[in-house]
Every structure is written in structure tokens, then in C-alpha cells.
Amino acid sequence: MKFRILFIILIATSAATFAQADKYAVAAKSGNAAAQYNLGLCYSRGLGVQKSYAEAVKWYTKAAEQQFADAQYNLAVCYANGQGVTPSYAEAVKWYLKAAKQGVINAQYNLAVCYDNGKGVAQSKADAAKWYRKAAEQGHKNSQYNIGVCYANGEGITQSYTDAVYWFSKAAEQGHVDAQYNLAVCYENGQGVTQSQHEAFMWYLKAAEQGDATSQYNLAVCYANGSGVVESYTDAVKWYQKAAEQGVVKAQYNLAVCYDIGKGVIQSPTEAAKWYLCAAEQGHVNAQYDIGLCYDSGNGVAQSYAEAVKWYRRAAEQGHAEAQCNLGVCYYNGEGVTRSFKEAAKWYKLAAEQGNVAAQNNLGICYANGDGVEQSFEEAEKWYRRAVEQGYTDAEKNLSDLDNKRRKAANINSQTALQENEKKKNPDKAYFEEAKLQAEQGDAAAQYKLGICYAWANGTKKSYTEAAKWYRRAAEQGYAAAENELGNCYKKGEGVAQSDTEAAYWYKRAAEQGNIYAQTNLGHCYYKGNGVAQSYTDAVHWYQTAADAGSLTAQTHLGICYYNGHGVTKSYPQAVKLFREAAEGGIANASTFLGLCCEKGRGIAQSYSEAVKWYSKAAEQGDAKAQYHLAVCYYNGWGVEESYPDAVKWYRHAAKQGHAEAQYRLGLCYDGGAGVEKSESEAIKWLKEAAKQEHEEAQQHLFLKGISIK
């Protein structure tokens, strides 16, 4: 996260007694600097003389010119505030600097603030950090907090969470509420300190008790999740309430959910609706959807389809799939809005494309009946099948009925259509026959093409053995693409006996001819030591060579090398640069790593929202690691509205691809009923899947349940 600087200009403080001003006047006129300073204080406060900032400035100036530090500081404050003199931050900075050099702590702090904001001096984060640190070392808590921020954000000083934590701790121990909050965040995320949810909880508690709204919300989350403290929804509700009353939108929403389901508080639809509405009015998309549900059903509010449509629309326009589907239903049925099949189909499609199963089924109905769209049995079948794949039983029936509709509407020229379809298949067969003829005559390019046909069943029956045979004939003629494909055959053991050594041999032959796919594959061999002596340096060489030739896959792996310091000097910024270019080019793995960099603040400013953006892109492309990380973000509310159902959705996608940690966490979700209906059988199923992959926590969980892993 980007920590925030605290800016407070400290005003002059008095060290003078209430002695008669004339006593100081005599000594001041004789040139005594301390007396001049004290006389200035008398004038500034009206002690024994008529109050006059102009006179105060006069005597502060005389003392300041004699290097009297406190006078220099007070004179600077007068210039900053325009007290007895024309306001001038330039003059203020001049005198703050003189006093700061003499160790006046408030002068050091105020000077740092001036440098931080470019007030009276050219903005300089480095000079700001320098003076914050000097004041911090003297125990000034605001400076301790601000130098912590400088270290956390890398502003004016080398970024270091370790140093940030050190200074946040100093300020927090003096009761600085923002420092307490930031220290909690560091403990929660393990930034600059060993991760400790209990320490995070304790510091959130201290800040929350001082009224910090964000800390109150985070403290509530700790209680709700049992993070660093024994789970207690009663305490969670208490702190959600406090934060909600201060306008924290997430707290308002979570408080509404607690009232809605009676968790930690007596169930109250009225209170739930009240807080859903508060959050919805601040733009919280899930709250907008939920208050729409309240109005739709009259739960906690007077039933109103018009109000339901209003809130469904607001959520739908923010991309909320369930709201889009419900808005479609309202248009389809004419509830709260003029009936419009066209509008219904529009909103169903938006929701369906996001995977909403009810919308997929409803869109199928629209296409089957021609409601709001041109009738299309093909489109109807497409959307019904998508719903069926997600287990939607109504879609199964609709799909069955669709066959009857299709038969009734069949054109008498269906036989002609079948013949046309057969013709469309002929080009692949023709391509195969032509390649085979030329390959048998010794044409290397044709031999390579024939191998592709056998490997991908283009115009012929799939045969890896035949594919490898023709790849080899082309490879033996030095055809680089065939050499790479033959390497793939050996790598996978397709059509030939598996051999990493043979794979590396053919990859190298093709790589040396400039084939970027082979260069990338050879880089993999060196990186993992498959078929060659392991060498990160050689891996980097081949990844770089392929990347320079335009391979975004190679560029991604080169980024991984920079990320881990394998074969090159570790550099997160360089890794981020490489990941970003590859991610923007559509490489899922690059998007995943870029998301990780954003999440951890490695080589780029820490940002959960940016992490979610890149995880989402990769997750939609089917990357299991991204799906897992995206699930974690939804579960914890990092960069996205907290949503256990969405977390479960992505854990499931990753788990189905064999991601052990996702399988374990999906099992826990089923075990605790988080985001999904509680199910012991499903919990055990996924915990077993993770345990089979030697996931220790899953194994331990099953052991405690008395369940065998087998």
C-alpha cells in the first residue's frame, strides 16, 4: 500500500516566564540574545506589554541574528504564518534551516514538511527525509511516522520496509494513531517484519481505540476471520458498527451482511437494509445489488420493483453479473420497468459472458424463442450448454426441449446442408494428401507439414509415431521447425521414447538456426537441468536471444530469472518491465507474475487493485496460479470487494487444474461454509486431493478428522 505522510506545521512554544517585560527590555537593548528572545515572547503573548507580533518579530530577528536557535525557530514560524510580517515561506525555510542545524527538533520537522511540499523551497523528497530522520532520532513522533512513510514508499530514500517498521514502531509506541495503523498493516502482510496476525490485531486495536475508522474496520475483519485473535462475530459487529458510523463503506456492507444473516447480532432485515443502503449510496457494488434484492422481495423495506430496478441497474453498470441477470429478469417480466425483451437479452448476455449460470440459461431461452434477439438455435444451444456445464438443471431440460424445436424448424434442404459440411472438411484432407505426396519426394518443408497433420489429426488419423517419423526426416535435412518439434516429441515421449537428452539435442540444433521456439525450449532445459548440465547463465542467454527476436514467452521467463536472481543480478524493476510487456501481449504467466509484483510491491508501487487486475487477466486465460492468487484476493478483500463466493469460484478453477494450495483452501471453505454451502464430503474430497500432493496442512487436517488419505 502507499502510506500517507502527516503534515502539521508546529507553532512556536514558550520558554519564557511571566517576569516583567521591562526587565528583558533592558538586557535586550544591551544586546543579550536570550533577553531579546524572551522580550519577543512577551510581545507575541502580551505579557507585561501590549501584544504585538511586529515587535515580537523585531526582537526575534535580533536574537536570531546572534544564532539564538529558539529565536530562529520562532521567527520562522512568524514568517510561515504571516504574524507581524508579510508571509514568506522562503524566509521561513531560511530560519527553520538555521534552527534545525542547531538541533531544534520542531524546526527540523517543519523544515522537512517544507521540503516535502515544496513550500518556500524547491521540493525535495531526499531533503525532507533527511530532516524527518534528524527530528525522529530526537524522539519527535510525527517525524518518526513520516520517516517511516518515506522508507515504506521509497520517497527520498532507499525503500526499506524494515526501516519503515522500525520508525512506525517508535511513533506507535508514543500513541501515533496512523503509525499504529501502518505498523499493523506491515505485520499483517509481513512487510519488513516477520508476519504476525496477532501483532497486526494488537496494533489495529490500539489505533481503533483511538477512533481510527480504517483500523476499526480491519479489527472487525480480524475478529470475523479469527485472524490473530479468537473468532468472535459479536466483537466483529461491534467494530464494524463503529467504522460504519464513520462512513467506512466496507464496514457498512459487512455490518449489513451480519444483520442480514444474524451473525454476531440478532437478525434484523430492517438494519440490514439500512446499512446496505448506506454502502450502496457510496457506490459499493455488492451493496447496490443486495439492496436491490431487499426492494425486490420487500425484505427490511417496503417492496418496490422500481427501487429494485434502480439499484440493480447501478450495480449492473459496474459489471455485477447477478445484478445484470436480475435486471434482465425485470425487463423480461416488466417488473418496475417497461417490458423489453431486447433490454432483457442485453443484460442477460452481459451477465452470461461473466459466467452467470442463470443468465446463460435465460439468454438461451431468448435465442430459442427469438425474444429480443434474432432466433438462433445454435446460440440457444451454446448458452444452454454453458449453463449445463455448471450443473444448472433447468438448462438440461431446456436443452432437451431445444432438440424438439430444432427438428420442427428443420429445413427440407438439411441433406444439402450436410453435404456442404462434408465439403468443408475436404480442404484438410486435400492439404494432407498434397503434403504427403511432396514429403515422400523428399521435400523437407512438406515432411514437416505432414508431421503436423499427424500430430494434430489434420486430414488424417492422429498418430504421434508417424508425426515423429516425418519430423525426423525433415530435421535430418536441417529444417529448424522440424528439429524443434522433434525435440518436443522427445520431451513429451510422444511417438518416441522419452529422452530429455535427445530433446535438448534437437532444441539446440534448431536454436542455433534462430528458431525462437527452440531457443525458448533450450532455455527451459538449461534452467531446470533437463538433458543438459543445469546452468542459469545459459538459460538466460537463450531466453534473452529468443526475447530479442520477439518471443514474449521467452521474455516472461527472462523476467522470472531477474525476479529470482537466477543467472543475472536480481532486479525486480527489470522483471516488472519484462513481465508488463509480455502481459500486455497476452502471456498469462507474465500477467500472473506482474500481479505478484504488484501485490508484494516488488519493483513497482504496492497495489492490490493492480494485482487483482493482472491476476484476473491471467485467471481468465486459465492460469492456475493466477486463479489461486485471485481467489486469495477475493477472500481477504485485497484490491477487490471481499467475496467468499468469488474466492470459492477461483479456488475451484485452480483446484481442478491440480493446484494443491487451492485444493486445500477450497476444502477449508467447504469445511467452514465460507462462500459455499457447508459440505463435509466436499471438504474431505478436496483436502484429500491436496494431501495426495504432499500438502502437509491438508494431511494434518485429515488426520485430525481421523480420515485416511488413501
Side-chain angles (χ1 to χ4, degrees):
M1 66 172 288
K2 182 81 169 179
F3 296 101
R4 57 185 186 274
I5 286 280
L6 177 68
F7 294 124
I8 300 175
I9 292 289
L10 298 175
I11 63 170
T13 56
S14 175
T17 67
F18 287 91
Q20 292 294 321
D22 57 359
K23 172 185 174 182
Y24 293 130
V26 173
K29 289 174 182 177
S30 67
N32 184 287
Q36 291 168 341
Y37 165 68
N38 283 337
L39 184 57
L41 285 178
C42 289
Y43 276 111
S44 70
R45 300 181 179 277
L47 299 175
V49 293
Q50 186 175 352
K51 187 173 183 178
S52 170
Y53 284 121
E55 281 296 310
V57 167
K58 167 185 169 182
W59 290 107
Y60 285 151
T61 302
K62 289 181 180 293
E65 289 172 346
Q66 293 193 66
Q67 309 308 313
F68 197 88
D70 288 339
Q72 292 171 335
Y73 170 69
N74 282 13
L75 181 59
V77 172
C78 289
Y79 274 111
N81 297 332
Q83 295 173 323
V85 68
T86 302
S88 172
Y89 270 101
E91 281 296 309
V93 167
K94 166 186 168 182
W95 291 108
Y96 281 144
L97 180 59
K98 290 179 181 292
K101 287 181 176 179
Q102 294 197 66
V104 177
I105 188 171
N106 287 343
Q108 293 171 339
Y109 173 74
N110 286 3
L111 180 60
V113 170
C114 290
Y115 273 116
D116 220 342
N117 293 286
K119 288 265 192 165
V121 67
Q123 187 178 48
S124 170
K125 297 295 183 181
D127 283 309
K130 166 186 170 182
W131 289 107
Y132 282 141
R133 185 177 184 109
K134 286 183 180 293
E137 288 170 345
Q138 293 196 67
H140 190 276
K141 69 177 181 180
N142 288 346
S143 295
Q144 290 170 338
Y145 168 73
N146 283 2
I147 190 62
V149 172
C150 291
Y151 274 114
N153 295 337
E155 293 180 343
I157 200 165
T158 302
Q159 197 273 345
S160 169
Y161 282 119
T162 302
D163 287 309
V165 167
Y166 173 81
W167 289 111
F168 286 151
S169 298
K170 292 284 187 183
E173 287 163 0
Q174 293 195 66
H176 195 292
V177 65
D178 289 335
Q180 291 170 342
Y181 168 77
N182 285 0
L183 186 57
V185 171
C186 290
Y187 273 111
E188 185 174 16
N189 298 328
Q191 294 174 311
V193 67
T194 301
Q195 189 176 44
S196 170
Q197 300 304 322
H198 178 67
E199 282 295 314
F201 164 79
M202 292 303 298
W203 286 110
Y204 281 140
L205 178 61
K206 289 180 183 293
E209 288 174 339
Q210 291 198 68
D212 184 76
T214 306
S215 295
Q216 290 171 342
Y217 167 73
N218 287 358
L219 184 63
V221 172
C222 290
Y223 275 116
N225 296 335
S227 180
V229 66
V230 176
E231 181 183 297
S232 169
Y233 270 93
T234 302
D235 285 304
V237 167
K238 166 187 169 182
W239 289 105
Y240 281 144
Q241 183 89 34
K242 290 181 181 291
E245 289 170 353
Q246 293 198 66
V248 177
V249 65
K250 289 182 180 179
Q252 292 172 339
Y253 177 72
N254 286 6
L255 181 60
V257 172
C258 290
Y259 274 114
D260 205 356
I261 63 178
K263 199 138 190 181
V265 67
I266 296 173
Q267 189 174 32
S268 172
T270 303
E271 282 295 305
K274 165 189 167 183
W275 288 109
Y276 280 141
L277 185 58
C278 286
E281 288 172 342
Q282 290 199 68
H284 192 289
V285 65
N286 288 341
Q288 291 171 338
Y289 168 67
D290 285 327
I291 192 61
L293 288 177
C294 292
Y295 278 113
D296 205 346
S297 61
N299 191 28
V301 292
Q303 197 278 339
S304 170
Y305 287 130
E307 281 296 306
V309 166
K310 165 186 167 182
W311 289 109
Y312 285 150
R313 187 184 305 281
R314 291 193 186 181
E317 288 172 348
Q318 290 197 65
H320 194 287
E322 288 80 4
Q324 291 169 338
C325 180
N326 284 12
L327 183 57
V329 171
C330 291
Y331 272 111
Y332 196 91
N333 296 327
E335 294 175 335
V337 68
T338 303
R339 189 175 195 181
S340 170
F341 289 144
K342 183 177 180 181
E343 281 294 306
K346 163 190 165 183
W347 290 107
Y348 285 150
K349 187 170 186 180
L350 288 171
E353 288 173 343
Q354 292 195 66
N356 184 276
V357 65
Q360 291 170 340
N361 179 64
N362 291 351
L363 184 59
I365 292 172
C366 289
Y367 274 113
N369 298 332
D371 292 338
V373 292
E374 184 178 347
Q375 188 178 47
S376 169
F377 294 134
E378 290 75 17
E379 282 294 308
E381 180 179 358
K382 169 181 136 181
W383 291 109
Y384 284 149
R385 287 197 182 282
R386 290 195 184 182
V388 168
E389 287 168 1
Q390 295 193 64
Y392 200 73
T393 55
D394 286 353
E396 292 181 16
K397 181 180 182 301
N398 290 340
L399 190 59
S400 176
D401 292 342
L402 184 65
D403 289 336
N404 295 328
K405 287 186 179 182
R406 183 182 276 124
R407 279 193 291 271
K408 291 178 182 178
N411 192 295
I412 62 171
N413 293 320
S414 59
Q415 186 60 42
T416 303
L418 289 173
Q419 292 172 352
E420 288 298 319
N421 286 334
E422 285 300 317
K423 288 181 180 179
K424 290 178 181 178
K425 296 178 182 178
N426 288 338
D428 283 346
K429 183 71 173 176
Y431 180 87
F432 166 76
E433 294 293 349
E434 182 180 354
K436 185 177 182 181
L437 179 63
Q438 295 177 0
E440 289 172 344
Q441 294 176 11
D443 186 285
Q447 291 168 343
Y448 167 70
K449 291 177 183 178
L450 186 58
I452 293 291
C453 288
Y454 278 114
W456 294 97
N458 287 340
T460 187
K461 185 178 179 180
K462 178 179 285 190
S463 170
Y464 288 126
T465 302
E466 284 295 308
K469 164 187 164 182
W470 289 105
Y471 286 149
R472 186 182 302 280
R473 291 192 183 184
E476 288 172 347
Q477 294 192 63
Y479 198 82
E483 291 171 335
N484 179 63
E485 289 300 333
L486 185 56
N488 287 336
C489 290
Y490 276 110
K491 181 68 178 175
K492 300 173 185 177
E494 292 179 343
V496 292
Q498 198 281 335
S499 171
D500 287 336
T501 302
E502 281 293 309
Y505 168 77
W506 289 106
Y507 286 148
K508 189 171 184 180
R509 281 185 49 156
E512 289 173 345
Q513 290 194 67
N515 185 281
I516 62 174
Y517 303 106
Q519 291 167 343
T520 303
N521 289 338
L522 185 57
H524 296 336
C525 292
Y526 278 112
Y527 193 90
K528 298 177 180 178
N530 291 337
V532 292
Q534 198 277 337
S535 170
Y536 288 135
T537 303
D538 286 319
V540 167
H541 166 74
W542 288 109
Y543 286 147
Q544 184 73 63
T545 301
D548 289 344
S551 172
L552 293 178
T553 300
Q555 183 167 315
T556 300
H557 286 279
L558 183 60
I560 293 171
C561 291
Y562 275 105
Y563 185 90
N564 294 316
H566 289 164
V568 289
T569 302
K570 179 184 283 191
S571 172
Y572 290 138
Q574 180 64 14
V576 166
K577 177 184 176 183
L578 293 167
F579 290 147
R580 185 181 297 281
E581 290 176 359
E584 289 173 348
I587 303 300
N589 197 27
S591 296
T592 302
F593 269 94
L594 184 54
L596 187 62
C597 290
C598 291
E599 179 184 334
K600 303 296 184 183
R602 292 173 178 167
I604 191 172
Q606 198 277 340
S607 171
Y608 284 126
S609 59
E610 280 294 302
V612 167
K613 167 186 168 182
W614 292 108
Y615 286 150
S616 297
K617 183 173 182 179
E620 295 290 350
Q621 292 176 265
D623 188 275
K625 290 181 181 177
Q627 291 167 343
Y628 163 73
H629 284 294
L630 184 57
V632 172
C633 289
Y634 272 112
Y635 193 91
N636 294 304
W638 291 344
V640 68
E641 292 298 331
E642 181 184 287
S643 171
Y644 291 155
D646 282 310
V648 167
K649 167 187 170 182
W650 290 110
Y651 279 144
R652 189 187 309 283
H653 281 302
K656 285 181 176 179
Q657 294 194 68
H659 193 288
E661 184 65 20
Q663 293 169 338
Y664 168 65
R665 295 200 181 196
L666 181 58
L668 294 185
C669 288
Y670 273 110
D671 199 32
V676 68
E677 186 175 347
K678 192 171 183 178
S679 170
E680 181 75 6
S681 61
E682 282 294 307
I684 292 171
K685 166 188 169 182
W686 289 110
L687 289 172
K688 280 187 173 182
E689 289 298 318
K692 289 175 185 176
Q693 297 193 64
E694 306 300 323
H695 192 288
E696 293 183 2
E697 289 172 289
Q699 293 172 339
Q700 180 67 16
H701 211 85
L702 289 169
F703 175 77
L704 293 174
K705 286 179 175 285
I707 297 171
S708 171
I709 297 173
K710 296 181 181 178

